[in-house]
Structures are given as structure tokens and as C-alpha cells.
Amino acid sequence: MSLHRQMVLLITGLLLVLLAGICYLSVRNSRDYLEMQMHSHAQDTATSLGLSIAKPLGEDDLAMVQTMVDAIFDRGDFVEIVIRNPDGDVMIRRTLQAPPHLIPQWFVNWLQINPMPGISEITEGWRRVGDVRVFSDKDAANRNLWVAAKQAFWLFLLVGGISWVVILLIVRAVLTPLRTLEKQAELICNKDFTGQQPLPKTRELKRVVQAINRMTRQLKVLFDEQVAQIEQVRNQAYVDSITGLGNGRFFNAQLQARLDSQEEPFSGVLVRLQIKGMADYNEHYGHDAGNLVLRRIGQIWQQSMEQIDGHCVARVTGTRFAALLPHQTIDAVKTIIDGAMTRIQRLDGLNLGGSNVKLFAGLSACKVGDDSTLLEAQAAAALERAQSYQSGHVEIYDESSHGDALAPSMPGISNWASFLEDVIEKQKVVLHYQPVISCVDQSLMHYEVLARVAVDGKLVTAGHFIPLVERFDMVTRFDRMIIELLIKQLKAQQDGSRVPLAVNLSSHSVREEDFDAWLLATLNHNPEVAPYLIFEVPEITVRTAHGKLRRLAIGLKEHGAKLTIDHFGTTNSSFGYLSGLQLYSIKVDSSYIRDIEDNLDHQFFVQSLVRIAHSRQILLTAEMVELEAQWDLLRRFQLDGAQGFFLGQPQPGKEAA
């Protein structure tokens, strides 16, 4: 139970005890006072009446006595007046007819008012002629006390309610810094080193907050130094020191990983850019000037490709740059490269007198399953041929043979746009499921959902048709269709038999204006299955739509769904963005797993990533685990989970279950 709730209950209990105590004492004291007053009043009346009727009673004038008794009885709150002779016989009695009770019987029984009667002897001269007894009306006293008790109750209830609210506001104001301290401690555990501002007004709490803020700043410095060290080592292995782009090792790993994956949708264009004449330029103007030119070329090279989702750019050697552009046609890429080379040729440094720097580019189409060595050779051949032309020429390798890489020829498919439109409208997809296995106990964590479509009776993987879905601007509709299918499937299952399912979202869908609103509304209408959905987005989305992705992550967490960053490590991004996203897990890109058993740099990167992810309570998984040696190594590195053909191939629903 929280401290705030405990304080509320304690204050409420104290107020109730105080209310009961004050009401009890007030009513009991009033009762004692009324008893005393009633007895005093009855005694005074008895004495006065005894003196008044002494002479008429001594003369046996009972009529006069009766008249005087009636006059006294009618004026006072008396229930009975009795006059007796010296022998004790009743001579005159006046009794009030008791009215019906107007107050609760429990109140009467609890009060128990019993005032003493007023008694006075009646004497004439030295002779005793009788006595008079006056009994006060205790029902009137009960009624007066009942009214007073109700007034005291409501008054105290009003004052107590106001006091309760005021005290709660005071308690909340006092405890707010403590709740903030608790939140700050949780943030520190998640490696989010945000100081508490403003400082509380209470002196003691202010000192505590100031001390924690100092500790937070020191921890932030230590953590940033650790992350910087890890990124520095990674950059030394995978980042070109002059341009800040990926180096040859990074690019080759990315290319190989994309071509090896049968499940990841990839086809596109491989680009090689050659800068000729840099040796003469360096000799003429110095290496610093040459490095500055290379840095500016790298910036233009990066900026020209950044609008393409999943792009990979690098400086692979001293004067050679490369780019891997997924889901693009040869013609579209040629237009992009022509624009980039035009901008490069306009650089101030290249227009210096005596400069003889020239640019050439070669392109080759590629798709999943191609031989990376052959592709490199094709691009190199195109680049070699481009150098026989004037500077700025772009050469395409054997375009007549390759055709359009995004529209593979398949029997029975003459119009891909119509075919895919029919697939989406009629939900004609076959879902396969690949298990993600825990590295801790080898249990099933969840399934990743993979889409297939049937072409002439054969199932075609996503690597063949997803690029076309994106090309024809159907990707958001396709994502919605898959999500709706999964929700139907989960709702059809019994509660105890559901298994979490991971589904890929494209960067285009996340950037779509109303996709996040649609997704959150859909989860809100299906709260029973939302916790079983894991949405994976590629890491490039963090750079292209960080704001929308952050809001989407918060919304998914509120509905119980989860968000995963896919292909982590493909963009050379800083680890810093991990603190700004509500993530369930991150998945290491296959380029770091494919040869991890032999690559020490990849091992260091994955081990570092494990420490950073776990420090933020984020799970870390790996993809494309194909060998037992890779699986054993990942388990030793304490990853949370992995998937790949070694652990389980994609299967239809029944076979996967």
C-alpha cells in the first residue's frame, strides 16, 4: 500500500475517532447538565408551590390547591405533580399524557436521563399538612438533546470534511517530492538520468533532492562515458573516421545479410562511386584539404540517400563510396546518383585551379538470394566501364539482362498491381510462424509472423512481393490487413492457449498520418488480445520518424502491446535513443550474427549491447541463428532470445503449434 493511501486512511480514521469522541462527550456533558438543571427547576417549583398552597391545603380548600397546581403544571415542562397528605395518601395528581416518541429509541436508551424529582414539605404554622413532588419531563430533554446532537454532528461533519480536504492537500504537497524521488529512482534504474526540478520547499526534502540530483549527474557522466567508449570501439571497427559513414567491413556485412535472408523483403540496387584524381589533389593542396573534400562528398552521398528507407551508405576504400538502396528501380536510382554527382562536382574544393578530380558510378540490380561476390563484380565492371567516359558518367551493368529487379517474372503474374490489390482486398495471405526461443531456458518466447502469397500453387516469401507492395504504395493497407488477421486469429483462440505474436511494421506505415491512431483505436477495441501483439519496426524508423514512433510506443504500452526495434545496428545510430523509447526489446541485425563465432568485433558489439539493453530493462534478441556455435555463443553472452533456422523454421499455424 502506498504511503499516500496510508496517510489518507490514517487521517480519515483520526477524524472519525475525533468526531465520535467529541459527539459522545458533547452529548453526555449536555445530558448531565440537563439532569442537574431539571432537578433544580423541579426543586424550585416544588418549594414555591409548597409555600403557595400551604394555607389553602390547611383549610382543606382543595379547589384552590387544584387551581394553583394546574397553573404551575401548564407553565412548566413537567410530566407529573403529586400532592400527598401527611399519611402519604394522594390528594391531588396532575399527569402529562406522554406524546409518541419523536426520537430514535436507541438514543433514549443510550442517554438514560433520570432527573431527581423536586420534593417539598407543606407546613402551616408548625403543623405539617402534606408534601409535594414535582417530576420534570425527560422526553422534552431527550428531544432537545437529539436536536443538539444532530446539529453538532452535521456541524462537525462539515468542519471535518473541510479539514480532511485541507489536510489531504497538505499531505499531497508534502508527499509529492517523495513520489518524484521514487520516480527519479526508477528512471535511474532505467539509465535515464533526469534531475528533479523544481526543488521542494521543505528544507529536509530539498537537501535530499539536491543530493540525489548530484548523484544523478555523476551517474549520467559515468554511463555516458561507458556508452561513448562502446560506441568508440564500434566506430573504430565499422565507421570511417573521415566521413562518418560506414566503412567497407560494415557495408559488406550489410550486403551479405540482406542477400542471405529469405524472409526479409529485399531487392534493389547496388551503387559504386569512384573518385579519381584524389592523389594529385592531396599532393597539390595537402591531405587536410583532401580529407575535407572527402568529408563533404560523404555528406552529400548520405543526404542524397536518406529519403530511402533502409538505405546503407559507406566509404568502402580511400576514394570509393558505395550505397545499397532497397526497393528501388534502376532508373530511379540513376536519377538520384546523377543528382548527387552534380552536387559533388559543384563543391568549392573540386573547382580549384589545377584540380583534376573526376567522378564515376556503376550500378547493378540485386535481390535476395544473389551472390554478393558476383554483384560486387558486376558493379565494379560497370564502374570500370563508366571511367571510359567523361566525369560524372553513371554506367548500368547489363540492364537488358537484369530488367526491373522489383518486378520478378513469375508464371501466371502479368500484372503485379492487380494481383496485390486482390491479395489485400480478399486477405489472400498465408501466415507462417517462426519461433523465438529463450536463451535462458530454451522455452518459447513468441512467434514472428511471416507472410506468404500463393502464386500458381506455390507460396512466395515476402522477399519477393513486399518490395512491390511498397512500390505500388500499398504498404500501409497491407500492414493493416495483417494486423486485422492476427487479431481475428487471437480472438478465436481460448485465453490459455494464446501465444504472443510479433509482426513487422514498415517505416512508411509508422510515418503515415493516421496509422498510429488507427492502430491504437484497434487495440482499444480488442483489449483482450492486445497484450499478445509485438510490433517490430526497422531501426531506420528511429531516424526518420522518431517523434511519431515515441508517441506510438507510449500508446502501445498503455494498451499492453509491445514495441521492438528490428535490424538494430544497421544505421550507426547512437545508443542514446534507447532512453527515449518505451521498448520491449531490440533485435540485433543478422549482419552481426552471421559470422559472430569468428568475428571478435561482432562479439564485442553484441556483448556491449547486452549490457546497455539490460540496464534499461529491454530484452535483446538475435535473428538468423543458423549454427549451433552461434546459438551457444549467444547463450553465453546472456541474450534473452533468438530465432533462426537452427532453432526452428517458419511453419504454418498448425505445424508451428
Side-chain angles (χ1 to χ4, degrees), residues 27 76 99 116 137 139 168 226 257 321 356 445 493 538 580 595:
V27 173
M116 302 228 9
D137 184 6
D139 285 341
L168 281 185
Q226 180 188 27
F321 291 77
N356 192 31
M445 295 178 63
Q493 298 173 354
D595 59 349

Side-chain angles (χ1 to χ4, degrees), residues 26-256:
S26 176
V27 173
R28 298 299 289 189
N29 290 338
S30 297
R31 186 203 66 173
D32 295 340
Y33 176 77
L34 277 177
E35 279 189 342
M36 182 178 66
Q37 289 295 318
M38 291 168 67
H39 171 66
S40 177
H41 180 56
Q43 186 61 51
D44 291 344
T45 301
T47 302
S48 176
L49 183 60
L51 293 174
S52 299
I53 65 174
K55 185 175 180 181
L57 188 61
E59 296 175 352
D60 291 330
D61 188 356
L62 296 181
M64 179 60 71
V65 173
Q66 183 69 48
T67 300
M68 297 177 71
V69 169
D70 290 342
I72 295 295
F73 188 84
D74 293 336
R75 288 202 311 270
D77 292 327
F78 306 116
V79 68
E80 187 176 37
I81 296 179
V82 179
I83 298 177
R84 302 175 183 271
N85 59 23
D87 296 330
D89 298 329
V90 176
M91 301 174 62
I92 296 175
R93 182 193 298 270
R94 180 69 189 273
T95 303
L96 177 67
Q97 185 66 31
H101 285 304
L102 301 177
I103 55 177
Q105 185 61 41
W106 64 265
F107 187 75
V108 175
N109 296 336
W110 176 66
L111 280 179
Q112 295 182 353
I113 295 180
N114 293 303
M116 302 228 9
I119 302 175
S120 178
E121 289 187 346
I122 305 173
T123 58
E124 184 185 14
W126 297 101
R127 181 169 64 93
R128 179 175 179 273
V129 295
D131 62 63
V132 57
R133 296 173 181 263
V134 178
F135 298 87
S136 296
D137 184 6
K138 62 181 182 180
D139 285 341
N142 286 331
R143 289 192 297 272
N144 292 335
L145 283 176
W146 173 247
V147 172
K150 288 195 297 182
Q151 292 175 346
F153 174 80
W154 291 116
L155 177 62
F156 187 84
L157 196 62
L158 175 63
V159 175
I162 296 174
S163 302
W164 186 75
V165 172
V166 171
I167 293 174
L168 281 185
L169 293 176
I170 295 174
V171 170
R172 176 171 295 181
V174 172
L175 294 182
T176 295
L178 295 179
R179 289 194 296 270
T180 307
L181 286 176
E182 179 185 3
K183 183 178 179 180
Q184 187 176 7
E186 293 177 353
L187 291 175
I188 292 174
C189 292
N190 294 326
K191 301 299 183 292
D192 187 350
F193 304 104
T194 303
Q196 180 181 339
Q197 293 293 340
L199 297 176
K201 303 299 182 182
T202 308
R203 184 177 62 181
E204 290 76 9
L205 286 177
K206 183 177 181 180
R207 292 177 178 174
V208 172
V209 171
Q210 288 174 332
I212 292 182
N213 283 345
R214 288 194 297 270
M215 179 187 69
T216 300
R217 289 192 292 268
Q218 293 173 356
L219 289 175
K220 185 178 187 304
V221 170
L222 291 175
F223 183 77
D224 289 345
E225 289 177 352
Q226 180 188 27
V227 171
Q229 182 181 10
I230 294 172
E231 291 184 349
Q232 180 180 3
V233 175
R234 184 188 67 174
N235 291 342
Q236 290 174 354
Y238 300 113
V239 178
D240 177 58
S241 60
I242 295 177
T243 63
L245 303 178
N247 58 19
R249 175 187 293 181
F250 172 79
F251 185 82
N252 292 333
Q254 294 298 317
L255 176 62
Q256 189 66 52

Side-chain angles (χ1 to χ4, degrees), residues 570-611:
T570 58
T571 63
N572 283 331
S573 297
S574 170
F575 294 126
Y577 75 77
L578 294 178
S579 62
L581 288 175
Q582 300 281 347
L583 296 178
Y584 165 69
S585 67
I586 54 180
K587 184 188 291 185
V588 185
D589 186 68
S590 58
S591 59
Y592 297 95
I593 305 301
R594 188 173 56 83
D595 59 349
I596 192 172
E597 68 276 15
D598 301 318
N599 192 314
L600 296 180
D601 291 329
H602 289 176
Q603 292 180 21
F604 174 79
F605 176 75
V606 172
Q607 286 179 295
S608 302
L609 194 54
V610 168
R611 292 194 295 270

Side-chain angles (χ1 to χ4, degrees), residues 498-566:
R498 292 180 182 138
V499 176
L501 302 176
V503 57
N504 289 284
L505 296 180
S506 71
S507 296
H508 180 82
S509 294
V510 176
R511 294 195 304 269
E512 190 75 18
E513 186 64 30
D514 59 347
F515 178 80
D516 54 347
W518 172 86
L519 178 57
L520 296 179
T522 301
L523 296 178
N524 186 54
H525 293 146
N526 301 277
E528 69 277 16
V529 300
Y532 295 93
L533 290 172
I534 304 169
F535 297 96
E536 298 185 356
V537 298
E539 187 184 25
I540 189 65
T541 313
V542 180
R543 294 177 57 181
T544 59
H546 184 270
K548 294 201 70 174
L549 187 63
R550 185 172 185 173
R551 292 189 293 272
L552 178 61
I554 294 173
L556 291 177
K557 187 174 182 180
E558 291 175 350
H559 289 85
K562 304 174 181 66
L563 181 67
T564 290
I565 298 297
D566 200 6

Side-chain angles (χ1 to χ4, degrees), residues 386-459:
Q387 296 177 35
S388 62
Y389 296 87
Q390 63 180 358
S391 177
H393 183 73
V394 179
E395 182 70 18
I396 301 172
Y397 175 79
D398 199 8
E399 182 179 6
S400 60
S401 298
H402 279 266
D404 187 353
L406 283 181
S409 58
M410 290 187 181
I413 305 296
S414 58
N415 187 331
W416 272 100
S418 299
F419 174 78
L420 293 174
E421 186 72 33
D422 184 62
V423 167
I424 295 174
E425 288 293 330
K426 299 180 181 179
Q427 298 184 342
K428 295 167 62 175
V429 294
V430 178
L431 299 181
H432 279 52
Y433 306 86
Q434 187 173 30
V436 178
I437 304 299
S438 170
C439 292
V440 179
D441 56 9
Q442 302 188 53
S443 63
L444 175 66
M445 295 178 63
H446 60 269
Y447 285 109
E448 179 167 2
V449 180
L450 305 170
R452 307 278 193 269
V453 296
V455 178
D456 281 349
K458 295 182 179 180
L459 293 180

